[in-house]
Amino acid sequence: MPRTTPNTSGSPDAAGGPAGSNRPAGSDAPAAGPRPDDTPPPTIADVAREAAVSKTTASDALRGHGRVSGATRDAVEAAALRLGYSPNRNARSLRTSVTETIALHIPEFLTSAEYYMSFVFGVIEQATRASLNVTMISSGHLPHRGALPQVDGLVLCDPMAGDPVVEALMNSGLPVVTAERYVGDKESTGVVWSDHETTTVELLDHLRDAGASRPALLASDSTAEWAATVLDTYRRWCVRNGLPDTVHKAPFGSSPEVLRAEVARMLAGSPETDAIVCAADGAAVTVLPEIRAAGRTVGKDLLLASCVDSTTMRLSDPPITAIDLRPRDMGAECARLLCEILSGRSPRGTVRSLPISLNTRASTGL
């Protein structure tokens, strides 16, 4: 089980100065040099004095506990960065019986997908702000032969019902925040979700207005709520618009070869298809060669769109219309909610929404 401890070295602090600098932003005073070897490391009292707050407030701000205003928390975090303060996690763990660590689970075969990597960075960034470590659970099985991770809480990205690892984590007794709702038997401690139904309808309406009369969906067989919402929304939209639905499913995490073969079958079996919506991250770019091999021109006689935006969608030729799911913000919001639940600042059962949006590009005729 790989363990990731975020590193803020060299990152800007909240006041605009470089991390590790003792010079406030905008000050003409020279930056402090390296600390001599015999100089003791800064303490929480030093941070409190630097930020002009009490030790209790400084501790609460760095741990994400208590009722601390955003401005005060930013000031304390900036002071800690300037001084190079690092909490003594071992001593704190002995005093409080907590690990100061949260775990993040995503399927291992998706760790190279841009959406999931952006999500991971969002979790790590927010955990760093709360002085927490992040442990990754992505091996497809629980570590240590089924033992539960020694952490304070869990973040699960797109949890799939029927996945034994997800089910074990959901039933671990630990606080669990999920990105999208878990459709299994156990309820999440907290949820951050996005309105995929509304944006999927917006995408399909855009295709219709761009001239498409037979849009098809390359769906995922994932049991996650997001995949099910996209599929159900597409089918209901076809009924409302009096159109037959054309759905081809690809296994979750399919290889490029599998995705291309599925699109080849789609175009051969339904040559009247004039638009394709790809659900999975990266699938729209992956199937471009197969579309061209079928003699179709993307953006002209066949419109192409993706339910997940990414760098490859923006840089593709032509650029591909896609829904921006804001994965980095989603990861950060999940970690933030988990921290608030652990500290008691948000109640169990809290549900928050993250806005998403449609980016229209040349692949749909623009």
Side-chain angles (χ1 to χ4, degrees), residues 12-33 49-52 74-75 77-84:
D13 63 26
S21 169
N22 288 313
R23 177 176 57 183
S27 172
D28 293 328
R49 187 163 43 251
E50 176 79 6
D74 288 344
E77 290 174 350
L81 286 172
R82 287 195 299 272
L83 295 178

Side-chain angles (χ1 to χ4, degrees), residues 217-251:
L217 174 66
L218 180 59
S220 168
D221 69 353
S222 167
T223 58
E225 184 197 35
W226 167 81
T229 299
V230 170
L231 176 58
D232 292 345
T233 301
Y234 167 78
R235 284 177 166 157
R236 289 196 300 270
W237 183 90
C238 287
V239 170
R240 285 197 305 271
N241 286 269
L243 299 175
D245 64 63
T246 302
V247 176
H248 283 241
K249 285 189 178 182

Side-chain angles (χ1 to χ4, degrees), residues 27-297:
S27 172
D28 293 328
R35 184 184 295 112
D37 292 341
D38 59 350
T39 301
T43 65
I44 190 66
D46 296 325
V47 174
R49 187 163 43 251
E50 176 79 6
V53 299
S54 69
K55 285 175 59 178
T56 299
T57 298
S59 178
D60 286 348
L62 291 175
R63 296 175 60 195
H65 290 189
R67 295 183 178 277
V68 180
S69 69
T72 298
R73 180 172 290 106
D74 288 344
V76 172
E77 290 174 350
L81 286 172
R82 287 195 299 272
L83 295 178
Y85 172 74
S86 178
N88 186 334
R89 298 186 184 279
N90 291 332
R92 180 181 296 171
S93 179
L94 290 173
R95 291 195 306 269
T96 63
S97 298
V98 296
T99 68
E100 300 289 336
T101 301
I102 61 175
L104 167 62
H105 173 264
I106 59 174
E108 183 177 14
F109 56 84
L110 291 177
T111 53
S112 61
E114 183 173 332
Y115 175 89
Y116 291 97
M117 285 298 91
S118 295
F119 183 93
V120 168
F121 284 122
V123 171
I124 291 173
E125 287 172 353
Q126 187 58 38
T128 301
R129 291 175 62 87
S131 298
L132 295 175
N133 287 322
V134 178
T135 288
M136 291 285 294
I137 303 175
S138 60
S139 59
H141 55 78
L142 288 174
H144 307 304
R145 298 181 180 179
L148 292 172
Q150 297 300 306
V151 295
D152 300 327
L154 301 158
V155 172
L156 274 59
C157 184
D158 286 338
M160 293 185 287
D163 183 322
V165 178
V166 170
E167 291 183 352
L169 295 175
M170 289 295 299
N171 288 284
S172 65
L174 293 166
V176 179
V177 170
T178 60
E180 308 302 339
R181 294 180 177 87
Y182 177 60
V183 297
D185 296 333
K186 190 77 172 180
E187 288 189 6
S188 307
T189 313
V191 177
V192 182
W193 72 286
S194 296
D195 189 354
H196 298 288
E197 180 177 358
T198 296
T199 50
T200 300
V201 168
E202 182 182 358
L203 170 57
L204 293 168
D205 285 347
H206 165 69
L207 294 176
R208 179 198 60 203
D209 296 344
S213 59
R214 293 296 299 270
L217 174 66
L218 180 59
S220 168
D221 69 353
S222 167
T223 58
E225 184 197 35
W226 167 81
T229 299
V230 170
L231 176 58
D232 292 345
T233 301
Y234 167 78
R235 284 177 166 157
R236 289 196 300 270
W237 183 90
C238 287
V239 170
R240 285 197 305 271
N241 286 269
L243 299 175
D245 64 63
T246 302
V247 176
H248 283 241
K249 285 189 178 182
F252 188 53
S254 292
S255 66
E257 292 75 19
V258 170
L259 294 171
R260 290 171 188 149
E262 202 59 52
V263 165
R265 283 191 288 271
M266 176 190 294
L267 294 176
S270 304
E272 69 279 5
T273 296
D274 55 10
I276 298 176
V277 176
C278 295
D281 185 6
V285 170
T286 299
V287 302
L288 271 172
E290 202 62 44
I291 293 173
R292 290 166 178 154
R296 309 294 292 273
T297 302

Side-chain angles (χ1 to χ4, degrees), residues 334-358:
C334 286
R336 182 180 296 110
L337 178 55
L338 178 57
C339 290
E340 292 178 5
I341 290 174
L342 291 173
S343 68
R345 289 185 292 131
S346 291
R348 288 171 172 263
T350 297
V351 177
R352 291 179 180 166
S353 62
L354 180 77
I356 55 179
S357 58
L358 175 66

